[in-house]
Each structure stands twice: as C-alpha cells, then as structure tokens.
Amino acid sequence: MDTLLSFTEENYLKSIYHLSRGGTAEVSTNALADDMQNKPATVSDMIKRLSKKSLISYTKYKGVNVTVAGKKIALQVIRKHRLWEVFLVEKLNFNWDEVHEIAEQLEHIKSPLLVERLDAFLEHPTVDPHGDPIPDSMGNFNIGPKVLLSEMIEEEAGVITGVDDSDPKFLQYLDKVNIRLGTKFKVKEKIEFDSSMHIVIENQDPLFLSEKIANSLTITKLK
C-alpha cells in the first residue's frame, strides 16, 4: 500500500499519527492544517483522498484518526526517519541539530530491504539521537512513562534521556551548555515564581534553565 502513496500523503499520515497521540484521539482539521502549514481546504481534500484509501477515518464534528493500515504506514515512515537520523549522527558525524530536515527527505525511500539492512548496519538501535523510540519492522516499540525535568523537585538527581523539541536553535543551545543525552544532573533549586530551575552538572557551574526548557527535556530519575 505505501508504495502507492506520495510523499505528501505519507507526511499527512505521520502528522495525524503524532497529533492523535499514536491513534488514541481524533484530530481536528484546524490542528492538522496548523501542523502541515496548509489551508483547511487543502487539508479537507487530503482527508477525502486518504479516506478513500481506507488509511484514515473521519467523524463529523470530531475529526480524523489513522486506521490500522494508516497507522502501520505512519510507523514505517517514522521508523525510517529515526534510523536515518542515527546513521547521519553516528556514521556521517552530523550534529543532532542538523539531521531532522535531511531525514525528512530520506524517510520516503520505499525499499524495505534498504531499511532492514540499514537497521542491521546500525546494530538495531532502539532510540534516535533525540531519545525518541525507533519502531521495529512490525511497528512495535518500547516506551516507558515520560518524566519531564520540570516535574522534578530540589535535591533529586537524574539523567537526560530525550528532548521534546527538535528545533535546531534549541538543540544548539543545549550543546552550548553541555546538555546531551546521557548527561547526569542534580536539581539545586526550583524557583516557585516562574518555575525556572537551577541544576548542577558534574564539573560545571550551576546552570539556570527556564520553564520552557525544563518542559522540553525528558529524564530518568536516579536514586
């Protein structure tokens, strides 16, 4: 089925999958238009096209969602995107802020054999350079409960395991302050007024982080 889809159709399925929180909720036309940066009329035309292919379902006054077939295709596109990001960072020495747009192009390559050999070449990674899980060839992936840095309290320690924002400027800022996946830290102070935080990273001065940044970093707590 996916070999019959255009790049745009695949991008819409991926967007609906993400906005629907993995197919668990309907997505409004306006939300989809905002995410795809298209006019509502254009989105409506695409909804009709994907509905005819039985890849999405539409409920009046509620919105759209992926069908089982649509979810399968969306997960395969996501799988390719994240595998290519790993390849670009680990094998071609791209920075993590440089790979998203390139992977957006590479994710539409159709060859299943290429994808499986890429996965094997990379030794079957389970997360991409931003900490997002990589679906396997069947669309399965493991994801535990997400904990944000902003949810931590003073004196708790943790390790950075992911970022919720792929904006290159944000990732460049994290590089500048030496925050990467695997960075261990301790919360020194949490400011009640604006929910900003001071954290301590080993061999560094205490680091100030805004609420926005703290809400964009996922962590695993350390005991």
Side-chain angles (χ1 to χ4, degrees):
M1 172 68 75
D2 58 326
T3 58
L4 304 177
L5 299 182
S6 68
F7 290 6
T8 303
E9 289 172 321
E10 289 185 340
N11 284 336
Y12 267 87
L13 287 174
K14 184 175 66 169
S15 176
I16 295 169
Y17 173 82
H18 283 310
L19 292 173
S20 69
R21 299 191 296 277
T24 61
E26 281 77 20
V27 179
S28 72
T29 302
N30 287 337
L32 185 56
D34 287 342
D35 192 55
M36 295 300 298
Q37 299 182 345
N38 276 327
K39 297 178 180 179
T42 303
V43 172
S44 295
D45 288 342
M46 181 58 71
I47 288 173
K48 292 176 183 177
R49 188 189 308 178
L50 293 173
S51 294
K52 287 181 179 179
K53 295 184 178 183
S54 300
L55 297 175
I56 64 171
S57 59
Y58 173 73
T59 304
K60 195 172 183 179
Y61 304 123
K62 289 187 177 181
V64 299
N65 205 342
V66 287
T67 62
V68 172
K71 181 178 179 179
K72 180 179 178 181
I73 293 172
L75 284 167
Q76 288 305 309
V77 175
I78 292 167
R79 169 174 164 79
K80 288 184 283 185
H81 181 105
R82 293 176 180 173
L83 283 173
W84 281 118
E85 286 194 337
V86 175
F87 175 77
L88 291 167
V89 169
E90 291 189 358
K91 305 303 179 181
L92 298 186
N93 298 318
F94 280 84
N95 294 326
W96 66 342
D97 61 284
E98 298 175 316
V99 296
H100 181 73
E101 292 301 322
I102 303 172
E104 285 282 302
Q105 301 170 51
L106 294 170
E107 70 186 21
H108 299 292
I109 292 174
K110 302 296 184 182
S111 171
L113 180 59
L114 173 60
V115 177
E116 295 316 305
R117 289 190 176 179
L118 175 64
D119 186 30
F121 176 68
L122 296 171
E123 299 181 343
H124 310 290
T126 57
V127 295
D128 72 7
H130 309 108
D132 293 317
I134 300 175
D136 65 19
S137 59
M138 301 300 293
N140 302 313
F141 58 92
N142 295 318
I143 181 169
K146 180 180 289 187
V147 180
L148 299 176
L149 174 57
S150 58
E151 298 172 25
M152 298 186 72
I153 60 176
E154 292 179 0
E155 299 305 315
E156 282 191 318
V159 57
I160 303 297
T161 55
V163 294
D164 272 2
D165 188 341
S166 59
D167 185 325
K169 291 182 179 179
F170 173 61
L171 298 176
Q172 290 164 12
Y173 170 78
L174 295 182
D175 279 335
K176 184 177 180 180
V177 297
N178 294 317
I179 291 180
R180 300 175 180 85
L181 300 192
T183 295
K184 295 180 180 179
F185 65 92
K186 186 175 184 179
V187 178
K188 181 179 181 181
E189 184 180 14
K190 191 167 185 179
I191 312 301
E192 184 177 353
F193 171 69
D194 61 0
S195 297
S196 59
M197 307 178 81
H198 282 94
I199 67 169
V200 177
I201 299 172
E202 189 175 10
N203 299 322
Q204 287 187 216
D205 293 330
L207 182 63
F208 170 82
L209 298 177
S210 69
E211 180 183 17
K212 181 178 181 180
I213 293 173
N215 275 325
S216 299
L217 294 171
T218 57
I219 62 94
T220 296
K221 292 184 180 181
L222 298 176
K223 296 181 179 180

